[in-house]
Amino acid sequence: MPARTTDDQQVDSTLARSSPLARLVQAPRAALVWMKSNRLAALVLALASLASVGGLVIVTLRIAAGRQPEVQVTLQQCLEALDEGRYEEAVSLAETLRQQSQAEQQSGGALYVLGAAMARQAGEALLKERENKYLLAANYLEQARREGFPPDRQAEGLYLLGKSLYYSGQLAAGRPVLREALEFDAPWRTELHGLLAAAYAHGTDADAARALEHNSGYLSDERLSAEARHRGLLQRAQILLRLGRLSDCRTALERIPEQSSSYADALVLRGQLLLEEARRLKTKKDPSTQDQQAAQAKFSEALQTLRSAEAHDTLSAQATRKAMYVTGLCLLEMGDTEAATNQFIRTHALYSGTPEGLAADLEQAELLRLAGDHL
């Protein structure tokens, strides 16, 4: 074997230094040398490495935490919040419950809680917000009824649904629901009678006879407060007037004392009663002079009664606007067309956004048409 030359030894040395194993062995030594000569840079590099490792740990922990199972909302939690008057919490829980599987929704339970909470909040809301809240409550409760009210909530569900339908202006739809709710022995039976009386007394398909029946059911409750009884008597007088039972209407009105909050409205109704009595005398087949004089006397008494109603009215002015409109009708019946027209103009100007204001505007337009004035 030939002897190795110096050049061969240099080649072997170069190969050895450039081999992976050699570089692996020499790397720590070279790094140590670099760190000694560049201490500040080495410190920065070490801190950056530590931060990277810490960030990786945090991300890993967060991912692990995100994989933890979510806490499931139960219907019982929703109902407890509802019953304790924590309506916002009840709504939030019910919304979460709706997002869970259909099996966990438990027969419309979440929808029931949403509707019940909305209905109870509507009762405490401002007047301008109340109708919209009741409308939303009715929608939720109707869906809950189709899917099934929660156990032991059938009676209250029907009561709240019927009430929400009534106060959102859906009288025809509310009547059968209120009647069904009345079949249960529940603490709100008296209120249901009152709602049914009002629902049957109004609307295009009103039924005064059934309204009177439910009004009797309402007034039969001996536990009624004085003010609640007075409101019931006022409702009864309105129904009796619609039925043409004038004597019974007068009797009901006489039971409402002057100190009652319903007294101003009772005076308006008394004015309407006098107006109707005067009309009957005036429109007799062959009215005598005495009948005509009696009619004029009742017209005059009606005007005085309506002015008294305005004087007894509260800040809400509900009785006032009714009294002003009926005053216009009374003047019209008395043959004073000019005074009646002016009265309707004033009523519409003051209460244009109310039923009485709109009715006054229609009366005014009709009088102008008859007079040939189409302005």
Side-chain angles (χ1 to χ4, degrees):
M1 182 176 179
R4 295 175 61 83
T5 65
T6 303
D7 291 338
D8 291 335
Q9 292 175 354
Q10 289 177 349
V11 169
D12 290 342
S13 176
T14 301
L15 290 174
R17 287 196 303 270
S18 61
S19 67
L21 180 59
R23 289 197 301 272
L24 183 62
V25 172
Q26 294 172 1
R29 185 180 303 167
L32 183 59
V33 172
W34 180 85
M35 290 173 64
K36 287 181 178 180
S37 59
N38 299 274
R39 293 185 178 182
L40 180 59
L43 178 60
V44 172
L45 182 61
L47 291 174
S49 300
L50 183 61
S52 299
V53 173
L56 180 61
V57 171
I58 292 174
V59 170
T60 303
L61 291 174
R62 287 183 176 178
I63 293 174
R67 292 175 180 171
Q68 294 295 322
E70 295 182 359
V71 177
Q72 297 293 299
V73 173
T74 66
L75 177 58
Q76 186 59 35
Q77 289 176 302
C78 299
L79 293 173
E80 287 177 0
L82 176 68
D83 294 340
E84 293 174 7
R86 295 179 280 117
Y87 300 133
E88 295 296 335
E89 181 182 348
V91 168
S92 177
L93 290 171
E95 289 287 5
T96 302
L97 182 60
R98 289 185 71 190
Q99 296 172 8
Q100 294 176 9
S101 67
Q102 187 69 21
E104 294 174 353
Q105 194 167 328
Q106 300 186 36
S107 304
L111 290 167
Y112 167 80
V113 172
L114 289 169
M118 190 63 65
R120 294 180 186 180
Q121 287 178 314
E124 303 170 359
L126 297 175
L127 187 60
K128 61 182 180 180
E129 302 174 354
R130 192 171 301 169
E131 185 173 341
N132 288 335
K133 285 184 177 292
Y134 273 123
L135 180 61
L136 185 58
N139 290 337
Y140 279 131
L141 290 166
E142 187 60 57
Q143 293 180 62
R145 184 189 187 191
R146 287 196 297 267
E147 295 190 21
F149 288 128
D152 301 324
R153 300 281 173 154
Q154 179 78 4
E156 186 176 20
L158 290 170
Y159 157 67
L160 291 174
L161 174 57
K163 182 177 180 178
S164 298
L165 288 169
Y166 172 80
Y167 282 114
S168 60
Q170 303 176 75
L171 303 185
R175 290 170 192 155
V177 179
L178 291 168
R179 287 199 308 269
E180 187 176 352
L182 198 58
E183 296 175 4
F184 292 86
D185 185 15
W188 41 76
R189 285 181 60 83
T190 298
E191 184 182 356
L192 286 170
H193 276 302
L195 290 171
L196 278 165
Y200 278 116
H202 301 94
T204 55
D205 53 348
D207 187 336
R210 298 192 75 169
L212 187 62
E213 175 188 344
H214 286 291
N215 175 263
S216 297
Y218 177 83
L219 290 172
S220 67
D221 189 346
E222 297 179 354
R223 298 167 298 176
L224 285 175
S225 67
E227 286 297 330
R229 187 166 298 280
H230 297 157
R231 288 193 297 270
L233 287 168
L234 179 65
Q235 182 187 65
R236 187 173 190 82
Q238 292 168 338
I239 298 169
L240 290 167
L241 180 61
R242 191 171 288 114
L243 287 170
R245 294 167 54 177
L246 305 188
S247 178
D248 292 335
C249 174
R250 183 184 297 276
T251 300
L253 289 173
E254 289 172 350
R255 295 175 61 188
I256 301 175
E258 185 173 355
Q259 63 269 24
S260 171
S261 61
S262 299
Y263 187 66
D265 287 310
L267 286 174
V268 174
L269 195 56
R270 179 175 171 78
Q272 292 176 277
L273 172 63
L274 289 164
L275 176 58
E276 182 58 30
E277 289 175 338
R279 281 172 174 166
R280 290 189 178 189
L281 289 168
K282 180 183 175 183
T283 57
K284 274 187 175 182
K285 186 175 182 180
D286 293 310
S288 64
T289 302
Q290 186 177 1
D291 290 333
Q292 293 175 355
Q293 291 175 345
Q296 289 301 315
K298 285 189 177 292
F299 282 135
S300 297
E301 186 181 355
L303 290 175
Q304 293 175 359
T305 302
L306 293 167
R307 284 194 290 269
S308 181
E310 293 184 44
H312 282 83
D313 197 11
T314 60
L315 293 177
S316 66
Q318 292 185 15
T320 296
R321 65 176 188 250
K322 293 176 184 176
M324 289 184 66
Y325 173 67
V326 178
T327 295
L329 295 178
C330 192
L331 291 169
L332 190 60
E333 289 286 349
M334 295 174 73
D336 194 342
T337 305
E338 182 179 357
T341 302
N342 290 333
Q343 181 70 12
F344 290 136
I345 290 173
R346 284 196 299 272
T347 304
H348 178 256
L350 290 172
Y351 305 108
S352 59
T354 67
E356 293 78 16
L358 295 174
D361 191 40
L362 292 175
E363 292 287 350
Q364 169 198 340
E366 179 63 14
L367 288 173
L368 292 175
R369 186 189 68 80
L370 293 174
D373 187 351
H374 299 285
L375 295 177

